[in-house]
Amino acid sequence: MLKRPVRRKRQKLSDVIVESVKRSIVTDALRPGDRLPTEKELMESFQCSKGSAREALKALEVEGLVNTRTGPNGGAYLNQAGTEPASRALRNYLHFQHMDGEQVYQLRKVIEVELAVSVIGRLSEADFKALQDNIDFCSHPEDSEAGQREQRIAELEFHNLLGRACPNPLLSFMAQFLNDLLRDLVVLKKAYKPKRKQFDAANLDYHKRLLLALRAEDERAVRQLMHEHMCDAEHHMTALEGEVTQHFLLEFDHHR
């Protein structure tokens, strides 16, 4: 018996326009600030309605690729898309997958090492100062819950500073994305509440030694230190999550 051919859903004209604009960004090497075709020009080029042209521009604006201006020089202009919208959307998806720190570190143990090696010889004095300031901030003893939370997040920011100096945009995004995902886990699970001075001291020690190795442009030392740092952090993070879970269960039993 012959099967009826599956009909593919016809692509919306607004989606066709969006794809065309994205293709132009790549093939025509468009830059932030470049003016995009007006609604009228899009209507003529794609033989579409004003509604389809407007819908396409709105979709590009929502994605962060376009900003619209009013006035004599009004219209749609190409925007430098940031990483945060994409990172936030992907993190929101992964939170529903019930991820834990161990799963994050499975990737982080690989990516952070390659990231650290990639910035050797590329860090400016301003970068080194920012890294040192981060270490100094994390060096002060902090007893309050809010202070512990800030320091735990600052420890991750040390790695984001390296990520921003990375010459590979994909590696940079992946490293910062994993750090932001880990930050979400720390905040949402309140993994900063159980005080673990050994964890704080270990992070601080690794960051100090990494800074020295990066200044010395010692690739072998950087690679080894970052690998050890990630393995040690995974161990502590797993223990912290266990403590948080146990604390939650005890509180639950207490209120039953």
Side-chain angles (χ1 to χ4, degrees):
M1 182 177 177
L2 293 176
K3 290 185 179 180
R4 180 179 297 177
V6 178
R7 283 190 175 183
R8 292 186 178 180
K9 188 177 179 181
R10 186 177 179 182
Q11 193 174 22
K12 289 170 60 178
L13 267 174
S14 59
D15 292 339
V16 173
I17 297 170
V18 168
E19 286 184 5
S20 177
V21 171
K22 290 180 178 179
R23 192 177 301 113
S24 294
I25 293 173
V26 176
T27 58
D28 301 336
L30 298 182
R31 309 285 297 177
D34 286 350
R35 198 173 192 275
L36 296 179
T38 63
E39 285 183 6
K40 185 177 180 181
E41 290 168 338
L42 289 174
M43 290 166 62
E44 293 173 353
S45 297
F46 292 92
Q47 294 294 295
C48 67
S49 66
K50 185 174 184 178
S52 293
R54 184 167 292 180
E55 186 179 350
L57 291 174
K58 185 63 179 177
L60 289 164
E61 188 174 9
V62 169
E63 290 187 30
L65 287 172
V66 164
N67 67 78
T68 55
R69 305 174 193 171
T70 57
N73 295 321
Y77 291 82
L78 193 62
N79 192 39
Q80 176 69 58
T83 60
E84 178 54 29
S87 175
R88 190 188 312 116
L90 189 52
R91 293 193 328 261
N92 287 340
Y93 163 75
L94 288 172
H95 289 323
F96 285 97
Q97 310 308 308
H98 308 295
M99 292 196 68
D100 57 30
E102 185 177 358
Q103 291 169 318
V104 176
Y105 275 98
Q106 188 175 5
L107 273 178
R108 200 167 182 241
K109 284 186 290 188
V110 176
I111 288 175
E112 283 291 339
V113 173
E114 295 306 316
L115 174 76
V117 171
S118 77
V119 301
I120 293 175
R122 292 179 173 272
L123 296 172
S124 65
E125 281 305 314
D127 293 327
F128 282 119
K129 183 180 184 305
L131 291 167
Q132 184 61 58
D133 289 344
N134 179 280
I135 289 171
D136 293 341
F137 175 78
C138 294
S139 297
H140 299 294
E142 188 57 68
D143 293 322
S144 71
E145 182 178 317
Q148 291 171 41
R149 178 179 180 273
E150 286 183 18
Q151 284 192 337
R152 186 69 70 234
I153 292 173
E155 288 167 356
L156 292 170
E157 182 59 21
F158 179 93
H159 296 270
N160 281 334
L161 289 168
L162 298 180
R164 295 183 194 111
C166 178
N168 182 332
L170 181 58
L171 182 58
S172 174
F173 173 78
M174 287 301 299
Q176 293 185 75
F177 166 73
L178 290 175
N179 290 332
D180 290 343
L181 183 60
L182 200 57
R183 180 199 63 201
D184 290 349
L185 291 175
V186 166
V187 172
L188 294 174
K189 294 186 177 183
K190 293 192 174 183
Y192 50 86
K193 287 187 72 174
K195 290 187 66 177
R196 294 182 68 88
K197 292 184 178 180
Q198 188 179 0
F199 190 13
D200 296 338
N203 282 334
L204 199 57
D205 181 60
Y206 276 116
H207 289 178
K208 287 178 179 178
R209 289 195 284 162
L210 277 165
L211 185 57
L212 290 173
L214 287 166
R215 272 200 176 276
E217 299 186 10
D218 187 339
E219 180 179 337
R220 183 178 178 181
V222 168
R223 188 178 291 277
Q224 182 176 342
L225 282 168
M226 187 60 85
H227 175 71
E228 290 177 0
H229 179 25
M230 289 300 98
C231 291
D232 182 74
E234 178 186 22
H235 169 75
H236 285 292
M237 186 65 188
T238 302
L240 274 171
E241 287 185 322
E243 284 187 36
V244 170
T245 300
Q246 184 64 29
H247 178 73
F248 173 80
L249 291 174
L250 289 172
E251 281 195 344
F252 179 77
D253 288 338
H254 177 73
H255 293 293
R256 285 176 63 181

